[in-house]
Amino acid sequence: MLIAGCSTGFGQAIVAQFLDQGREVITSMRRPSADELPESDRPKVLLLDVTDPESIALALAHLDQIDALVNTAGLGMLNVLEIADIAQVREEGLAPS
């Protein structure tokens, strides 16, 4: 099983769950570090940036096959409206009163 995006959040929690169940997992991160994962001798850690085709090809070259893929890789960004005060948003006519 390949789990993409394991350095934080859901990916890290999913790795911990599967390792607790005794499963074999291959983890991937843009900046690989086994220090960010639960202690275990089982996970294989790969460099993988899912936005970079060359990085994807390199990671796939290290794998025999993928039985399952869990993709939690991503980038979260706040946009202006998410951090704006609702009164100001309404005043600008961007939300109903």
Side-chain angles (χ1 to χ4, degrees):
M1 173 180 307
L2 173 61
I3 304 173
C6 297
S7 59
T8 61
F10 287 118
Q12 199 173 60
I14 292 167
V15 169
Q17 179 70 27
F18 284 130
L19 289 174
D20 285 347
Q21 294 174 0
R23 297 178 186 238
E24 295 294 322
V25 296
I26 300 167
T27 64
S28 69
M29 304 173 193
R30 283 180 289 153
R31 292 175 211 84
S33 171
D35 296 338
E36 297 176 18
L37 299 173
E39 275 193 52
S40 174
D41 59 349
R42 284 193 313 276
K44 179 178 182 180
V45 181
L46 295 177
L47 166 70
L48 175 59
D49 179 346
V50 298
T51 67
D52 179 3
E54 191 173 313
S55 175
I56 295 167
L58 197 61
L60 290 175
H62 286 79
L63 304 173
D64 293 328
Q65 69 180 39
I66 300 173
D67 298 321
L69 169 66
V70 178
N71 183 18
T72 64
L75 176 65
M77 295 177 56
L78 292 176
N79 86 30
V80 175
L81 293 179
E82 291 172 324
I83 59 174
D85 178 66
I86 190 64
Q88 182 181 6
V89 172
R90 285 186 176 131
E91 185 178 305
E92 296 296 329
L94 299 172
S97 305

